[in-house]
Amino acid sequence: MEALVVRLSQLDSEAEGAIRVVMFYDTLIRRRVDLAALVRASAGLAECVAGIRLDGTEQTFRVAPDGPAPSAGRASTTVAITLDDEQIGAVWLERPSPLPLDRLLLDRLAIAAAAVVERYGPARTTMADPALVELAISPGTDAAARARALRLLGFAADAAVRVVAVRSPLPLDQLGALVCPARPVKATPLGEVGVLLLTAVDVSRFPADVRAGIGTVGPLPGSWLSARTALRFTTSRRPVVDYCSLGALALLAHVPGDAARDNTDVAALASLAADDLDTLDAYCATGSVRRAADVLHLHHSSVARRLDQLGKTLGYSLVSPTGPVRAQLALTAWRLLEA
């Protein structure tokens, strides 16, 4: 201890100030102060206006050393609050120009704020504990355990939570915040599929390279099952599928794989080239030779010739009353096998 005292006495004033700042926030964390007390103490220490903002909530604290801060000023230094490697808010100081220790003070304030959020949570991060998510969506979980898992994940007891199954090159926390900007939303990977738990989803906000199956509203095990089923129906032309929009097509997901492979219409698709499959898909999706030509950026006569040749290969006319239905069912069943 004497050696430490000697070393401290040899420090310059800036280093001594840095140690005092660290000790100041360590003390606040040990005392388990809330965010309001934390920002008041910071304003007093910095002798200027200090602020804390949590993203996705209405919580913003802005305090002057002597009490409530006047009208909004300009932040001289700002530091992000991070929790579980995700930015959940920011802290800042307002003074004409930053002082040497301002950055350290804000770094420690951000750490203390993250500790407060984690302690008094639920944490406002998007990424979730996979074990809690599995409890919430598993059919083997009883009602009490599921309710507790959802509460720990940050959902209100009466929230209508639904599941979205995704395959995404975008990090799941970013994707969750994108499609459900108002929150609450929780995300975690389960095997090769990403899981989003959310109370609302904006389909238009999914990036083009994300595949997503949106589950039903209702009991979570059923929502998870329907979300995975919907994900199997996604294609490059239809990357986001809501299970409720599938209707009777959802029945194809329950056809045994061997039965689908043995069907002549499905088996015939295996011999088609990629361009032929794309033509067939565009025709089935639009229901019109001319609209399919627009999608494919071809002349309608070229598409008509392709469909005529495809009909000969498949063994039925694609422009007959039942042709598009047969092709759509076969194409969907074939894709489900691939998925």
Side-chain angles (χ1 to χ4, degrees), residues 14-311:
E14 185 172 326
E16 182 182 357
I19 291 174
R20 291 183 183 278
V21 169
V22 172
M23 293 176 62
F24 179 83
Y25 283 101
D26 284 350
T27 300
L28 291 177
I29 291 174
R30 284 198 303 273
R31 290 180 178 175
R32 297 175 177 267
V33 300
D34 60 15
L35 290 176
L38 192 58
V39 75
R40 284 197 302 271
S42 299
L45 178 64
E47 298 182 342
C48 69
V49 173
I52 296 177
R53 184 194 73 251
L54 294 182
D55 297 336
T57 74
E58 299 299 323
Q59 289 186 290
T60 298
F61 303 89
R62 184 172 168 274
V63 180
D66 55 354
S71 58
R74 185 180 65 86
S76 57
T77 314
T78 302
V79 169
I81 305 171
T82 60
L83 184 60
D84 298 332
D85 296 322
E86 180 183 345
Q87 182 173 334
I88 62 170
V91 295
W92 68 91
L93 295 177
E94 298 175 16
R95 59 166 110 244
S97 59
L99 297 182
L101 291 178
D102 281 1
R103 177 68 193 215
L104 173 64
L105 185 152
L106 287 176
D107 284 341
R108 301 304 298 183
L109 173 56
I111 291 170
V116 171
V117 172
E118 188 171 34
R119 181 183 306 122
Y120 294 111
R124 300 301 298 180
T125 58
T126 298
M127 296 305 291
D129 182 347
L132 284 178
V133 173
E134 286 199 75
L135 269 177
I137 64 179
S138 172
T141 304
D142 61 53
R146 180 171 291 111
R148 180 176 181 275
L150 287 172
R151 186 172 65 253
L152 291 173
L153 287 168
F155 293 102
D158 58 349
V161 182
R162 67 196 306 186
V163 186
V164 177
V166 298
R167 286 193 174 90
S168 171
L170 192 69
L172 291 178
D173 59 330
Q174 296 180 30
L175 180 62
L178 188 65
V179 301
C180 186
R183 296 199 174 172
V185 55
K186 292 292 179 179
T188 192
L190 287 182
E192 296 180 358
V193 176
V195 181
L196 302 180
L197 297 183
L198 36 70
T199 53
V201 55
D202 187 342
V203 174
S204 66
R205 295 175 67 91
F206 279 101
D209 53 354
V210 171
R211 300 287 183 94
I214 301 174
T216 55
V217 176
L220 282 181
S223 185
W224 170 229
L225 176 61
S226 62
R228 284 184 297 161
T229 300
L231 182 62
R232 294 176 61 197
F233 282 85
T234 60
T235 67
S236 58
R237 191 163 279 123
R238 193 184 181 191
V240 180
V241 173
D242 189 326
Y243 181 86
C244 296
S245 71
L246 291 173
L249 283 176
L251 296 174
L252 290 176
H254 303 286
V255 174
D258 290 342
R261 289 186 188 92
D262 291 340
N263 181 270
T264 55
D265 285 359
V266 176
L269 296 178
S271 64
L272 297 184
D275 286 346
D276 290 334
L277 287 169
D278 197 37
T279 299
L280 188 62
D281 178 54
Y283 177 61
C284 291
T286 61
S288 162
V289 172
R290 289 187 177 275
R291 287 197 292 269
D294 290 339
V295 170
L296 297 168
H297 306 293
L298 295 171
H299 193 274
H300 66 88
S301 61
S302 298
V303 174
R305 283 195 299 271
R306 283 191 185 185
L307 293 174
D308 181 61
Q309 184 59 46
L310 278 171

